[in-house]
């Protein structure tokens, strides 16, 4: 049977409950919520005067009511040391979500740490160290002293290259401006750590170098543009599942035609219709189905291309549009580079350097370099030539009266973690530039995003470009100490099987050594650890909110707080910045990451001074922060563009609508923001111009991909599912989610199931020369034969185990193009038997 | 079509214009009313559910939803004789189930798809499996579909005597 809570009544929020601004801390969309808290021994009533809604709750409330909350939104948490009731419910006044809650965000309540109700008891409450053969609690001073002594000794001996760091760069969750600054100041300010990577990839690089190099920042539009566009083009994204309320609240109304009045009011001099949508994705997703249900099949063009061939498609579209003359001449003249540049000598096989794998030029140079016929692209992509022409028409053919068509282009991991990231990204931006669709209503060429953002750090220029391939160096035995900040390589990396094997071996060398000396003898302990490092070992420090998979190999765990347990600022996919107000205590002794980084810096200073290196010790000054607000003022306020206009007090007053970065002033009690970037036609490239990219097709770019494709039978496409947030770090202890998803599914076509002798729910092994993993079979009639889909980063079936180690010139991984074989392990186990394996597609009748 | 007309009131963002919603014209469910009867909450640890006779087995046709209201007439739901035995199914064939037909996500009325025994929400595309205890197949709800505890007496009368999840739009299942 399906999981049921058997909760048939909830405490009512009293009229005098405390109300806190909350931005959902999960996906990029950043829906507005409020956290209501009140004392454990109090409750509101059904009469209007005694509840926070001011309505009679003895009556059935209507659909979309503000005056209801689900059991998943409720919990009992600690606030200033006391138990309080909490309800975290969607904000109906927030422009982002208008009261909608996703299946992820609407579970924030029940995924809070609660000793009273036993939820998320996996959360770390104390620093933990390897002692007597297992992880044991200790004090902050003790743990930080050990970390600082080992780190300082390694850095003194090997230089800062002996310190490897994996650190999140995102907003939301336990990220945000406070915490990226705290960690950034430590590793890029006090030190210049080069062997460093980000949470979801094996290097410290941009996911979208190309668009930035072209002078076009990747979050350049606003969510309202999806309501204003004539055409939406979605590339490598499944927004109904991964940017849910952006899709539901801003795309769907345009597909339904309910934003026509808004279009007419804002853009009165041109004809308008309901939006059409082009979806570029090898897989038919629930997004495609929902778009068909809303807009009608005739207004949805799903380009189900061969995996990894997006670049060929974009070049054919660009060529066709240019040849037809469906371009914005004024925009080209005023906002893009006038002069072309000669190709580098080895182009197109190689760019000017590994760090510059493309060729930036002007419009005509790009048209020449990218030239591809519809027929050739059809051959590569497997698409119908007529569909490619139709897409070009929907994107760029002028509207009635010769008016420019407004097309918004959104892309995400299908492109970012796809074949030839750099050139594919560039080729897509080419289309937006040619058609003048940046900085204007209904336009934009934007990442749709994963996490929220919240990045402010000292310069990372010393890391270099291409950046260090950190996972590879760790596998090769480099590095003596590894600091991990909310990253889990075991789940969310490529070549994960081999990484896990080597990482465990190296950290076990240190664990076994540590077990030989009494923990209390600090000098002997540090000497023993250093000797183990010399013998090939690695000392691992994991800062996280829970014991992660990679943390199982670590020697020290430092417990972090997350959003709501601290004040935390982030921005969403339209650069909308908000403050989440602290509404509960962190578990036990957990702290915000910025304050952990500060503590580590202070211990480094002390230890280095003891070692007699006063000059180096002095570099670790400047962390006297008492609160996360101190870190915010030291970081964002002083270092972010427009940061000087932003304070906690002002953000609090701006509520869940916040403002859109960058701030440009403070007037009439409000922070003045920026609705769209480049609205003035001035871009980030040289002389304020945007560049085009000469980006010819070159097949599967990353090393090892063609060989893997030739050798193994099934494409193992991969990505996210609606119900699971990220790598399930909290969801793995949420009964509702784990009841539905005990293992990652693998979507398999009925034909393939027949050939492999599989039934729904069977556990299968997915294997190739790089590793192996497991999944449960989800029959999927819409899947193409030979093409499967798994969740990425799921704890009970790590897809990264079968991704080979090939990356592009800039060390961007290529997770999506992975091939493997499949074989049955067992019939559906007990925990799978109750599951529904019906089609995920909404059925109207 | 009287029931469908009530849908006009439930969405404040003109949902009726959408293709998905329009296609849901044969919805089996009853829209939520604006008003409901008020009752005093009993001073007990558990919500006291009424034992309500909803139908007789003879009223049910295989795989055709039979409209009911439970725990009161303002909480729309259906009884279904699925035709095959399911876990938690009542009746001599173990195939009779009852569910709320108000989507636990945002309160839209679900429609029943007889082909695959699923409830579908035209608001945000959530789907629930009538064969699997109302498990959400895919969707935005943070709960599976509320299901009735059914009892069938010697005469074949079907009684509902409880609900296993909180119903949308009420903070107590029995108001």
């Amino acid at each position: 049977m399906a999981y049921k809570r058997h909760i048939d009544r909830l405490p009512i929020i009293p009229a005098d409950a405390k109300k806190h601004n909350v931005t959902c801390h999960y996906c990029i969309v950043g829906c507005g919520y409020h956290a209501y808290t009140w004392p454990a021994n109090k409750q509101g009533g059904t009469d209007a005067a005694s509840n926070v809604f001011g309505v009679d709750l003895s009556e059935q409330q209507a659909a979309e009511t503000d005056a209801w909350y689900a059991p998943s939104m409720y919990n009992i948490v600690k606030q200033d040391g006391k138990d309080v009731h909490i309800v975290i419910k969607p904000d109906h006044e927030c422009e982002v979500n208008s009261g909608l809650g996703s299946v992820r965000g609407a579970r924030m309540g029940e995924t809070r740490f609660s000793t009273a109700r036993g939820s998320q008891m996996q959360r770390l409450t104390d620093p933990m160290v390897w002692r007597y053969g297992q992880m044991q609690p200790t004090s902050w001073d003790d743990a930080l002293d050990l970390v600082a002594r080992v780190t300082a000794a390694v850095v003194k001996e090997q230089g800062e290259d002996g310190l490897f760091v994996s650190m999140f760069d995102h907003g939301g969750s336990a990220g945000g401006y406070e915490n990226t600054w705290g960690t950034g100041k430590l590793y890029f300010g006090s030190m210049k750590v080069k062997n460093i990577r980000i949470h979801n990839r094996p290097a410290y690089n941009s996911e979208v170098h190309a668009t930035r190099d072209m002078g076009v920042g990747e979050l350049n539009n606003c969510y309202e543009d999806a309501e204003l566009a004539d055409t939406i083009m979605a590339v490598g994204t499944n927004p109904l599942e991964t940017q849910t309320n952006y899709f539901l609240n801003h795309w769907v109304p345009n597909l339904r035609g309910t934003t026509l009045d808004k279009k007419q009011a804002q853009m009165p001099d041109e004809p308008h219709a309901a939006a059409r949508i082009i979806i570029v994705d090898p897989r038919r997703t629930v997004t495609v189905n929902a778009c068909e249900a809303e807009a009608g099949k005739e207004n949805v063009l799903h380009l189900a291309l061969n995996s990894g061939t997006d670049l060929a498609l974009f070049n054919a579209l660009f060529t066709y549009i240019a040849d037809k003359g469906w371009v914005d001449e004024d925009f080209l003249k005023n906002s893009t580079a006038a002069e072309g540049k000669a190709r580098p000598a080895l182009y197109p096989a190689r760019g000017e350097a590994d760090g510059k794998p493309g060729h930036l030029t002007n419009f005509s140079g790009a048209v020449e370099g990218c030239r591809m016929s519809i027929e050739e692209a059809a051959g590569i992509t497997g698409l119908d030539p007529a569909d490619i022409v139709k897409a070009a028409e929907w994107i760029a053919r002028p509207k009635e009266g010769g008016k420019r068509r407004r097309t918004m282009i959104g892309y995400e991991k299908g492109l970012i973690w796809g074949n030839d990231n750099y050139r594919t990204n560039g080729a897509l931006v080419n289309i937006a530039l040619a058609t003048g669709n940046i900085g204007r209503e209904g336009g934009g060429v934007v990442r749709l995003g994963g996490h929220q953002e919240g990045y402010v750090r000292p310069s990372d220029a010393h890391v270099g470009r291409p950046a260090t391939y950190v996972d590879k160096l760790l596998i090769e035995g480099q590095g003596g100490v590894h600091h991990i900040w909310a990253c889990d390589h075991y789940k969310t990396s490529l070549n994960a099987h081999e990484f896990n094997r080597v990482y465990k071996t190296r950290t076990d060398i240190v664990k076994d050594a540590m077990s030989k000396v009494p923990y209390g003898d600090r000098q002997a302990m540090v000497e023993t650890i250093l000797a183990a490092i010399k013998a090939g070992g690695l000392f691992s420090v994991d800062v996280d909110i829970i014991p992660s998979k990679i943390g199982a190999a670590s020697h020290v765990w430092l417990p972090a707080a997350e959003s709501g347990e601290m004040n935390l600022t982030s921005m969403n996919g339209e650069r909308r910045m908000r403050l989440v107000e602290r509404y509960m205590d962190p578990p036990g002794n957990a702290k915000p990451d910025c304050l952990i980084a500060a503590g580590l810096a202070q211990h480094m200073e002390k230890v280095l001074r003891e070692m007699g290196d006063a000059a180096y010790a002095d570099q670790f000054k400047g962390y006297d922060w008492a609160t996360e607000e101190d870190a915010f003022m030291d970081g964002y306020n002083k270092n972010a563009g427009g940061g000087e206009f932003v304070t906690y007090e002002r953000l609090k007053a701006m509520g869940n609508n916040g403002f859109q970065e960058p701030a440009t002033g403070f007037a009439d009690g409000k922070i003045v923001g920026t609705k769209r970037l480049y609205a003035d036609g001035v871009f980030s490239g040289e002389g304020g111009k945007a560049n085009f990219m000469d980006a010819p097709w070159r097949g599967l770019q990353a090393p090892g991909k063609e060989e893997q494709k030739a050798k193994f039978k099934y494409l193992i496409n991969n990505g996210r599912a609606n119900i699971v947030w990220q790598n399930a770090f909290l969801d793995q202890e949420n009964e509702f989610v784990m009841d539905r998803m005990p293992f990652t599914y693998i979507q398999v076509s009925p034909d393939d199931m027949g050939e492999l002798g599989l039934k729904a729910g069977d556990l299968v092994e997915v294997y190739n020369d790089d590793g192996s993993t497991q999944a449960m079979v989800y029959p999927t009639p819409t899947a193409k034969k030979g093409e499967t889909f798994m969740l990425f980063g799921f704890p009970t079936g790590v897809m990264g185990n079968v991704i080979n180690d090939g990356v592009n010139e800039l060390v961007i991984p290529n997770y999506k193009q992975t091939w493997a074989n499949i074989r049955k392990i067992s019939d559906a186990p007990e925990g799978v038997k109750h599951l529904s394996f019906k089609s995920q597609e909404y059925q109207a009748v | 079509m009287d029931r469908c007309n009530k849908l006009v009131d439930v969405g404040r963002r003109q949902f009726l214009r959408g293709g998905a919603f329009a296609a849901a014209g044969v919805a089996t469910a009853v829209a939520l009313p604006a008003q409901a009867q008020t009752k005093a909450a009993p001073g007990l640890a558990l919500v006291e559910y009424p034992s309500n006779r909803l139908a007789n087995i003879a009223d049910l046709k295989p795989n055709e939803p039979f409209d009911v209201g439970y725990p009161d007439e303002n909480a729309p739901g259906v009884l279904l004789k699925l035709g095959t035995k399911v876990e938690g199914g009542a009746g001599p064939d173990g195939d009779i189930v009852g569910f709320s037909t108000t989507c636990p996500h945002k309160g839209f009325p679900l429609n029943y798809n007889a082909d695959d025994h699923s409830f579908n929400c035209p608001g945000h595309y959530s789907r629930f499996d009538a064969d699997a205890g109302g498990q959400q197949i895919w969707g935005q709800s943070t709960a599976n579909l509320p299901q009735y505890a059914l009892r069938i007496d010697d005469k074949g009368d079907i009684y509902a005597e409880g609900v296993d999840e909180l119903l949308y739009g009420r903070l107590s299942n029995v108001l």
Side-chain angles (χ1 to χ4, degrees):
Chain A
M1 286 287 282
Y3 165 72
K4 298 291 172 73
R5 291 181 184 79
H6 293 281
I7 290 176
D8 39 26
R9 181 175 288 168
L10 284 175
I12 292 172
I13 307 173
D16 60 352
K18 280 193 220 167
K19 185 178 180 183
H20 310 76
N21 292 326
V22 172
T23 300
C24 175
H25 39 93
Y26 299 138
C27 92
I28 180 78
V29 178
C31 295
Y33 282 74
H34 285 118
Y36 296 90
T37 58
W38 69 99
N41 62 340
K42 304 284 184 194
Q43 61 182 326
T46 54
D47 59 296
S50 60
N51 65 66
V52 75
F53 308 113
V55 305
D56 180 359
L57 294 178
S58 69
E59 292 180 357
Q60 169 75 44
Q61 304 300 307
E64 298 196 299
T65 180
D66 193 14
W68 186 74
Y69 36 96
S72 63
M73 300 174 191
Y74 170 79
N75 214 332
I76 295 174
V77 299
K78 294 274 188 215
Q79 186 182 72
D80 301 324
K82 291 178 183 154
D83 283 333
V84 295
H85 299 276
I86 187 167
V87 170
I88 308 178
K89 61 186 290 297
D91 178 1
H92 284 242
E93 304 306 316
C94 178
E95 292 169 27
V96 174
N97 55 311
S98 303
L100 287 172
S102 76
V103 69
R104 299 170 300 280
R107 288 185 290 106
M108 275 190 288
E110 72 178 9
T111 53
R112 294 309 83 204
F113 176 71
S114 172
T115 49
R117 294 177 87 231
S119 57
Q120 294 299 323
M121 296 306 287
Q122 62 171 339
R123 290 291 304 275
L124 293 170
T125 58
D126 290 284
M128 306 279 279
V129 293
W130 184 257
R131 202 168 69 206
Y132 320 131
Q134 58 185 304
M135 297 306 284
Q136 306 269 11
T138 191
S139 67
W140 275 106
D141 267 349
D142 180 65
L144 290 174
D145 180 77
L146 179 64
V147 172
R149 286 186 191 281
V150 174
T151 303
V154 166
V155 168
K156 291 290 279 182
E157 187 168 311
Q158 299 187 26
E160 289 177 351
D161 288 355
L163 169 58
F164 277 59
V165 178
S166 302
M167 66 178 184
F168 61 84
D169 73 342
H170 56 73
S173 291
Y177 290 109
E178 295 77 8
N179 294 327
T180 59
W181 176 253
T183 48
K185 185 171 181 175
L186 177 61
Y187 299 110
F188 293 163
S190 300
M191 293 183 268
K192 296 284 178 216
V193 172
K194 194 178 73 183
N195 292 326
I196 189 162
R197 61 163 271 172
I198 297 173
H199 53 275
N200 59 2
R201 54 195 186 271
Y204 204 91
N205 48 15
S206 169
E207 295 173 359
V208 287
H209 278 299
T211 189
R212 293 181 184 180
D213 288 351
M214 293 164 79
V216 181
E218 67 270 22
L219 298 177
N220 47 64
N221 76 352
C222 59
Y223 283 178
E224 191 180 68
D225 285 322
E227 301 176 34
L228 301 176
D230 294 303
T231 301
I232 297 173
M233 182 181 187
V235 175
T237 181
N238 176 16
L240 175 56
E241 297 201 75
T242 57
Q243 295 92 14
T244 303
N245 291 331
Y246 177 27
F247 178 82
L248 292 175
N249 200 34
H250 301 278
W251 294 31
V252 168
N254 195 2
L255 295 171
R256 286 177 174 165
T258 53
T259 62
L260 280 171
D261 291 349
K262 188 182 256 191
K263 288 180 171 184
Q264 199 58 45
Q266 291 194 26
M267 304 169 293
D269 302 325
E270 59 190 83
H272 295 290
R276 295 190 289 203
I277 185 163
I278 302 162
I279 299 167
V280 181
D281 194 326
R283 181 175 66 121
R284 180 178 167 89
T285 60
V286 289
T287 298
V288 177
N289 181 61
C291 288
E292 288 176 354
E294 296 298 353
K297 284 188 179 183
E298 68 280 11
N299 293 311
V300 180
L301 179 57
H302 176 204
L303 298 176
L305 74 185
N306 293 330
S307 177
T309 62
D310 306 56
L311 177 53
L313 169 66
F314 302 157
N315 282 347
L317 292 171
F318 182 52
T319 302
Y320 191 86
I321 288 166
D323 287 353
K324 285 283 182 186
W326 295 338
V327 298
D328 187 332
E329 296 288 357
D330 288 343
F331 181 88
L332 291 177
K333 186 170 156 223
N334 297 326
S335 295
T336 67
E339 300 297 321
K341 288 180 190 156
R343 275 183 163 186
L346 297 175
Y347 211 72
R350 300 188 60 184
E352 208 173 290
D354 274 353
K356 295 182 178 175
H359 170 51
L360 302 182
T361 185
N362 65 354
F363 173 61
S364 59
V367 172
E368 195 181 324
C370 295
R371 182 161 289 284
M372 180 171 281
S373 70
I374 298 290
E375 290 68 29
E376 190 184 359
I380 295 168
T381 59
L383 295 171
D384 181 344
D387 280 344
I388 303 178
V389 170
K390 189 197 262 188
E393 290 172 351
W394 285 16
I395 291 167
R397 188 166 73 184
K399 298 196 277 186
E400 235 175 90
K403 297 290 181 182
R404 189 180 65 85
R405 193 167 293 277
R406 297 175 185 272
T407 296
M408 180 193 116
I409 302 174
Y411 60 95
E412 194 42 39
K413 293 296 194 296
L415 185 156
I416 289 168
W417 299 150
N419 176 41
D420 213 349
N421 159 302
Y422 191 85
R423 292 187 191 180
T424 307
N425 185 197
L428 188 61
V429 176
N430 280 346
I431 296 171
L433 284 171
T435 56
N437 271 307
I438 306 175
R440 291 159 167 187
E441 292 87 347
V445 56
V446 294
R447 275 196 64 172
L448 294 178
H451 282 280
Q452 276 163 79
E453 303 294 334
Y455 188 95
V456 58
R457 275 177 177 154
S459 167
D460 62 354
H462 64 278
V463 173
R465 187 172 152 171
T468 315
Y469 191 169
V470 165
D471 287 21
K472 191 159 181 279
L473 296 186
L474 283 170
I475 289 172
E476 288 169 2
Q478 294 195 36
V481 58
H482 186 200
H483 294 181
I484 309 162
W485 297 77
C487 298
D488 201 343
H489 308 229
Y490 277 30
K491 287 189 287 188
T492 56
S493 197
L494 71 178
N495 197 22
H497 211 151
E498 177 66 1
F499 181 89
N500 299 358
R501 188 186 68 76
V502 175
Y503 198 84
K504 180 174 184 305
T505 302
R506 295 190 65 195
T507 51
D508 276 350
I509 293 172
V510 175
K511 279 185 178 171
D512 292 343
M514 288 175 78
S515 295
K516 289 178 189 160
V517 291
Y519 181 78
D521 188 342
R522 180 55 37 103
Q523 189 183 340
M525 180 59 78
V526 171
E527 284 169 5
T528 300
I529 292 170
L530 293 172
I533 290 170
K534 280 208 177 83
L538 184 71
F539 183 71
S540 173
V541 181
D542 191 21
V543 190
D544 210 321
I545 62 170
I546 57 160
S548 64
K549 293 282 184 194
I550 194 174
S554 296
H555 309 95
V556 179
W557 295 340
L558 300 176
E562 66 168 344
S563 186
E565 298 160 1
M566 61 176 287
N567 296 289
L568 188 143
T569 55
S570 305
M571 74 171 190
N572 78 348
E574 53 175 347
R575 296 160 284 101
R576 191 180 293 272
M577 182 175 181
R578 276 80 54 88
L579 168 69
V580 177
E581 298 179 86
R582 175 176 157 146
Y583 53 73
M584 64 180 280
D585 302 345
N589 294 306
K591 290 184 187 180
D593 291 80
C594 55
L595 299 185
I596 298 173
L600 184 51
Q602 286 157 351
H603 279 267
M604 287 290 288
E605 184 195 354
K606 177 173 162 245
V607 169
L608 288 165
R609 213 171 289 289
E610 275 178 28
M611 293 168 90
D613 194 341
Y616 196 19
D618 285 346
Q619 290 179 205
F620 292 87
K621 287 185 165 189
Y623 292 89
D624 49 347
W625 307 326
T627 65
E628 58 270 26
E629 185 172 10
D630 294 340
F632 179 84
M633 294 307 285
D634 188 51
Y636 188 90
N637 182 269
K638 289 193 180 68
N639 295 277
E644 68 269 29
F645 303 113
V646 185
T647 64
Y648 271 14
E649 188 188 358
R650 290 176 181 183
L651 275 176
K652 183 176 176 176
M654 301 292 284
N656 283 334
N657 285 324
F659 75 97
Q660 287 173 273
E661 296 188 68
T664 59
F666 183 72
D668 304 324
K670 289 185 176 168
I671 301 166
V672 182
T674 308
K675 189 170 182 177
R676 292 180 186 86
L677 301 186
Y678 314 121
D680 57 0
V682 178
F683 284 80
S684 317
E686 199 178 303
K689 307 291 186 193
N691 291 288
F692 283 85
M693 189 184 291
D694 168 0
W697 166 252
R698 54 176 169 169
L700 288 178
Q701 177 271 331
K705 293 294 178 187
E706 287 287 6
E707 294 82 351
Q708 199 183 56
K709 183 181 181 184
K711 186 168 176 184
F712 296 97
K713 194 170 176 187
Y714 301 98
L715 175 75
I716 314 295
N717 192 0
N718 55 92
R720 302 292 184 193
N722 198 43
I723 197 173
V724 180
W725 170 243
Q726 227 256 355
N727 64 36
F729 60 94
L730 292 181
D731 292 336
Q732 65 190 351
E733 285 212 346
N734 183 262
E735 289 83 353
F736 175 72
V737 175
M738 295 314 287
D739 176 72
R740 182 73 186 111
M741 199 81 78
F743 299 92
T744 164
Y745 54 62
I746 183 165
Q747 298 178 339
V748 186
S749 76
D751 279 356
D752 289 331
M753 284 180 64
E755 283 182 19
L756 289 161
L758 300 175
K759 304 183 302 297
D762 284 356
L763 283 189
V764 293
E765 182 170 56
V766 178
Y767 65 99
N768 59 21
D769 292 341
D770 295 284
S772 54
T773 187
Q774 67 177 2
M776 64 179 179
V777 174
Y778 204 116
T780 307
T782 56
K784 293 185 213 168
K785 183 165 164 45
E787 299 196 1
T788 71
F789 181 90
M790 273 180 77
L791 298 192
F792 183 76
F794 201 73
T796 53
V798 175
M799 191 271 154
N801 283 1
V802 291
I803 303 173
N804 75 316
D805 64 359
V807 294
N808 84 349
E809 296 94 331
L810 293 163
V811 200
I812 300 293
N814 179 185
Y815 298 144
K816 302 288 185 183
Q817 279 73 48
T818 295
W819 286 267
N821 285 344
I822 296 170
R823 61 187 160 211
K824 181 167 168 173
I825 295 175
S826 80
D827 290 337
E830 191 59 32
V832 170
K833 285 179 183 164
H834 69 290
L835 293 187
S836 176
F837 287 101
K838 291 178 180 170
S839 165
Q840 299 185 4
E841 294 197 2
Y842 166 77
Q843 318 277 329
V845 189
Chain B
M1 290 305 289
D2 180 50
R3 282 176 188 151
C4 293
N5 291 339
K6 290 181 185 170
L7 302 182
V8 176
D9 302 326
V10 303
R12 61 182 176 77
R13 293 201 308 273
Q14 304 181 47
F15 272 91
L16 266 182
R17 290 204 200 171
F21 208 88
V26 275
T28 57
V30 182
L32 297 173
Q35 299 289 320
Q37 294 294 315
T38 304
K39 283 183 193 168
L44 297 169
L46 297 176
V47 168
E48 190 81 350
Y49 283 95
S51 177
N52 288 358
R53 180 189 177 281
L54 300 180
N56 186 279
I57 288 181
D59 298 329
L60 302 184
K61 293 175 189 159
N63 204 21
E64 274 188 30
F66 181 90
D67 288 346
V68 298
Y70 186 79
D72 53 67
E73 60 182 6
N74 294 314
V78 291
L79 293 179
L80 275 168
K81 183 171 170 56
L82 293 166
T84 45
K85 186 173 180 169
V86 294
E87 201 183 343
D93 302 323
D95 67 341
I96 297 174
V97 291
F99 290 99
S100 162
T101 50
T102 300
C103 184
H105 174 228
K106 296 299 283 182
F108 288 88
L110 302 170
N111 60 80
Y112 182 68
N113 181 302
D115 290 342
D116 75 350
H117 295 192
S118 67
F119 294 96
N120 291 261
C121 180
H124 309 97
Y125 328 116
S126 301
R127 280 167 54 70
F128 303 88
D129 191 340
D131 294 328
Q135 185 167 57
Q136 185 169 237
I137 302 166
W138 184 94
Q140 301 309 327
S141 172
T142 55
N144 294 312
L145 193 62
Q147 184 170 4
Y148 304 151
L150 298 180
R151 175 176 63 85
I152 300 179
D153 70 10
D154 297 345
K155 301 194 293 282
D157 285 340
I158 305 169
Y159 292 83
E161 301 188 323
V163 180
D164 59 10
E165 279 282 1
L166 191 67
L167 296 168
Y168 183 90
R170 44 178 77 188
L171 291 172
S172 173
N173 274 350
V174 177
L175 292 170

